[in-house]
Amino acid sequence: NILYLVTDPFATKPLYFQLGKNYITVGTYEGTIKAYGNDEPIIQMKSNSILAIDLNTFEIISQKILRPFNFTQQNSMTYDNWNIAFSKSILKRSTNLQKELFVSFSSGQDSGLIAAELLEQKIPFHCYTNRYSEDISILEKRFDILSKSAISNTFVEPSKDEFQEMHKFLLENCEPFQLMSNEHDIQNFSDPDMRNLPGYIAFALICKKARSNGRLICLSGQGADEIFSDYYNPNTNSRMSELKGDWTNIDKPWKNF
């Protein structure tokens, strides 16, 4: 009579729970649990965790780390191992699919790397691009590369009314989710509620367009730069970086990890 709650290493899928004297409620969304109307606090599971709950007493028995990370491997001076793992990751997520694959394509590093690896592995996909605030010269060079491999792109450039309509849809249909950890002294986003950020609204419009074309699987690097590189670039707005590019003496996860 023990219930185990488990989150993946980076909590890509949220998990909330509420414990009472004689019950437990678990859900992906906080609002689902709130709907039951109980007063006990709703807790979000930490990433990379295993929580054991006794179903006789409804008490937490233990909480452990799912997958300990080793931060002592400082002898590698290349990205060879990372590159191998990345190639396998793309292959795993793009084979035996029942629906078509698409990439939300920009002039940034994440989508560019994903598209490059898909091309390398000769995996078919489609691109959707919103050109607002992107580096057009980089995009044009990338489109030229894609066209040589018969990979097409669709521009998604909504009107002001379409943009506002999607914003309203997100506010009405998606729960608020704080992008910022309370541990950070610097709030790097103009609004920590993702539903109000133009980039996320544009991505929602891209997903809507892709869905209307029958493409339901998106490969995205969202969050990867923060996790793997602490997102530091002296030429960008990366004030949240804790390490500032200095990787010496790293022995534990950093705040963005």
Side-chain angles (χ1 to χ4, degrees):
N1 290 326
I2 297 177
L3 175 66
Y4 292 95
L5 302 181
V6 183
T7 54
D8 63 81
F10 300 112
T12 53
K13 181 177 176 62
L15 187 62
Y16 295 85
F17 70 94
Q18 183 183 56
L19 273 176
K21 293 182 179 179
N22 58 358
Y23 75 91
I24 178 173
T25 308
V26 182
T28 300
Y29 300 103
E30 185 178 13
T32 304
I33 299 177
K34 282 183 178 179
Y36 283 86
N38 296 312
D39 296 328
E40 284 75 8
I42 299 173
I43 302 171
Q44 183 178 7
M45 281 274 293
K46 292 183 177 181
S47 62
N48 201 28
S49 299
I50 302 177
L51 192 69
I53 298 173
D54 189 324
L55 294 182
N56 292 317
T57 62
F58 292 96
E59 295 179 348
I60 297 176
I61 302 173
S62 64
Q63 184 168 358
K64 301 178 182 179
I65 294 176
L66 171 65
R67 177 183 177 182
F69 286 91
N70 184 355
F71 290 88
T72 62
Q73 300 184 44
Q74 302 293 332
N75 58 340
S76 177
M77 301 301 293
T78 72
Y79 287 100
D80 291 347
N81 292 336
W82 191 93
N83 291 339
I84 293 172
F86 179 75
S87 296
K88 290 181 178 179
S89 176
I90 293 294
L91 180 63
K92 177 181 178 180
R93 289 162 173 79
S94 56
T95 55
N96 300 319
L97 303 180
Q98 296 181 358
K99 299 294 181 179
E100 291 186 44
L101 182 69
F102 75 94
V103 174
S104 178
F105 199 61
S106 70
S107 58
Q109 296 177 351
D110 295 352
S111 63
L113 180 58
I114 291 171
E117 184 60 34
L118 289 169
L119 289 176
E120 178 69 19
Q121 299 192 33
K122 295 180 173 55
I123 298 170
F125 65 101
H126 188 85
C127 289
Y128 291 89
T129 300
N130 182 301
R131 287 180 286 194
Y132 178 73
S133 76
E134 297 293 340
D135 188 320
I136 302 302
S137 63
I138 292 178
L139 278 177
E140 289 177 347
K141 293 177 182 178
R142 291 183 173 183
F143 291 145
D144 182 56
I145 295 172
L146 292 174
S147 64
K148 292 177 181 178
S149 297
I151 301 298
S152 56
N153 176 82
T154 299
F155 290 108
V156 179
E157 296 178 332
S159 65
K160 183 177 180 180
D161 289 343
E162 290 172 326
F163 194 86
Q164 292 176 342
E165 182 180 352
M166 177 56 74
H167 185 202
K168 180 181 178 183
F169 175 84
L170 294 177
L171 290 173
E172 292 176 349
N173 294 277
C174 297
E175 293 188 12
F177 186 82
Q178 297 293 319
L179 289 170
M180 183 61 59
S181 168
N182 293 328
E183 296 178 359
H184 287 290
D185 297 327
I186 298 174
Q187 303 297 305
N188 202 36
F189 297 98
S190 58
D191 191 324
D193 188 340
M194 57 169 281
R195 302 173 301 172
N196 296 325
L197 294 180
Y200 284 92
I201 299 172
F203 180 61
L205 286 162
I206 285 177
C207 290
K208 180 181 179 181
K209 179 63 176 178
R211 183 180 181 85
S212 70
N213 297 148
R215 299 184 177 98
L216 305 183
I217 300 174
C218 176
L219 289 188
S220 169
Q222 181 66 41
D225 41 13
E226 288 86 354
I227 293 170
F228 294 122
S229 67
D230 194 47
Y231 193 54
Y232 178 67
N233 184 328
N235 300 315
T236 65
N237 182 23
S238 52
R239 295 173 297 164
M240 280 175 57
S241 173
E242 181 180 16
L243 305 178
K244 298 294 188 295
D246 183 4
W247 294 91
T248 57
N249 301 318
I250 299 301
D251 59 0
K252 62 182 179 180
W254 47 96
K255 289 180 180 179
N256 288 345
F257 187 82

